[in-house]
Amino acid sequence: MATKNNIHTLSVDSSTKHLAEVRDFVASHAKNVGLSEKDISEIRLAVDEAFTNIIKHAYKNTASKPVTIELGFNASQLWISIMDEGEGFKPDEYKAPDILKRIKNKQRGGMGVFLIQKLMDQVQYNRKGQMNEIRMVKNL
Amino acid sequence: MKNFTIAKRQIDSISVLDISGELDAHTASQLENSLKALIDEKQFKIIVNCSRLEYIASAGLGVFMAYIEDVRGLGGDIKLTNMNDRVYNVFDLLGFPTLYDIHDDEQEAIGGF
């Protein structure tokens, strides 16, 4: 874990075994910034969903691929960027899930992006060279 | 690493799964295996007691989505009980309370079968 000014970085490989570690990393820094318990649990879940989507979709469940989580803050917001080198996500093609239809079809998934949008104040998807970034902001 | 554990109880014809800890994409397969085992044993009246569930991500909700139709089609149900507010909020955000039988208390759920 690296720290520079108000930016904290955690690098892990693309395995679900790191989910708890990633959640705890963002939660402990969010706590230090003074966020409420409610905001902290929302950030934990949003980051979990973003990391899970990277494992499942960007890297198609291939373990040992690089994922970097950066967390920073200023007086007005806390931001978290999660970066990967897998297949990019196309937010324009995303549709919110119809849960009833999915249950009828015995499907699962598709809920993570929807939850992230509900839980965070701003969400951006960026492509920088071979790298994808999801940047999530919580207003303070 | 925090644990996720499942314990099974039987109350007459009703199977109760007590789930504890954090349910995410890493631990969801444990819940999936337990639900599959109950269905294989033709136990279709299922209560999942969440009183010690500290956290759930959508991968956990996905397990319930995958099996509820089968279980209801076989005359049973998967009823969820005793969630803390943070866990309930995740179900609520996704509209689950209108699709699933969620109770504050296990006794209420038992009465619903």
Side-chain angles (χ1 to χ4, degrees):
Chain A
M1 189 173 86
T3 302
K4 190 182 174 188
N5 298 326
N6 285 338
I7 298 176
H8 306 275
T9 305
L10 175 70
S11 294
V12 291
D13 59 27
S14 53
S15 163
T16 55
K17 71 182 180 191
H18 295 300
L19 271 166
E21 178 188 356
V22 169
R23 287 196 301 268
D24 290 348
F25 167 76
V26 293
S28 75
H29 289 295
K31 195 173 178 184
N32 290 341
V33 176
L35 266 74
S36 68
E37 284 297 321
K38 179 174 180 285
D39 282 345
I40 293 170
S41 27
E42 290 179 353
I43 289 169
R44 279 169 66 90
L45 181 56
V47 166
D48 177 317
E49 299 292 344
F51 184 52
T52 299
N53 276 348
I54 287 170
I55 295 167
K56 277 168 56 182
H57 301 296
Y59 288 134
K60 312 227 179 299
N61 292 310
T62 308
S64 308
K65 296 284 187 179
V67 182
T68 301
I69 300 102
E70 258 184 27
L71 175 148
F73 60 90
N74 59 29
S76 60
Q77 51 184 216
L78 177 138
W79 55 264
I80 297 148
S81 280
I82 310 184
M83 287 152 286
D84 68 78
E85 296 167 14
E87 194 171 305
F89 173 67
K90 298 182 181 71
D92 296 346
E93 294 175 12
Y94 174 78
K95 287 195 181 86
D98 179 337
I99 304 289
L100 179 59
K101 199 169 158 189
R102 283 178 176 263
I103 288 171
K104 295 280 177 212
N105 295 334
K106 296 168 198 169
Q107 291 173 318
R108 63 181 91 184
M111 299 175 285
V113 172
F114 175 79
L115 278 176
I116 293 165
Q117 287 168 351
K118 285 259 183 187
L119 297 166
M120 302 301 283
D121 292 309
Q122 288 174 47
V123 183
Q124 271 180 4
Y125 294 90
N126 303 311
R127 178 94 180 165
K128 297 174 179 174
Q130 292 303 303
M131 197 182 67
N132 307 301
E133 176 191 36
I134 174 172
R135 184 181 169 92
M136 300 173 280
V137 174
K138 195 82 169 166
N139 296 332
L140 300 178
Chain B
M1 197 179 91
K2 291 198 182 78
N3 283 328
F4 175 75
T5 57
I6 304 178
K8 189 185 143 194
R9 286 182 282 136
Q10 196 71 25
I11 301 174
D12 299 325
S13 62
I14 299 169
S15 301
V16 182
L17 297 177
D18 289 300
I19 60 176
S20 308
E22 301 195 326
L23 182 54
D24 61 18
H26 194 59
T27 57
S29 59
Q30 291 179 56
L31 176 61
E32 178 144 16
N33 291 340
S34 295
L35 283 175
K36 265 193 211 160
L38 288 178
I39 294 164
D40 287 348
E41 292 161 16
K42 305 201 184 310
Q43 300 286 327
F44 305 129
K45 293 179 182 174
I46 301 167
I47 291 175
V48 179
N49 185 315
C50 304
S51 67
R52 291 196 292 274
L53 184 67
E54 293 161 24
Y55 173 84
I56 190 164
S58 71
L61 276 74
V63 177
F64 297 118
M65 290 171 71
Y67 292 98
I68 191 85
E69 274 291 295
D70 283 344
V71 169
R72 285 180 176 165
L74 292 160
D77 198 5
I78 301 172
K79 298 181 189 293
L80 306 165
T81 74
N82 300 80
M83 289 176 192
N84 73 36
D85 289 346
R86 287 192 311 277
V87 168
Y88 180 80
N89 188 42
V90 183
F91 281 88
D92 195 31
L93 279 170
L94 289 164
F96 273 56
T98 58
L99 307 170
Y100 285 76
D101 202 17
I102 300 177
H103 295 272
D104 290 339
D105 182 69
E106 186 181 304
Q107 281 304 321
E108 271 179 33
I110 291 169
F113 276 111

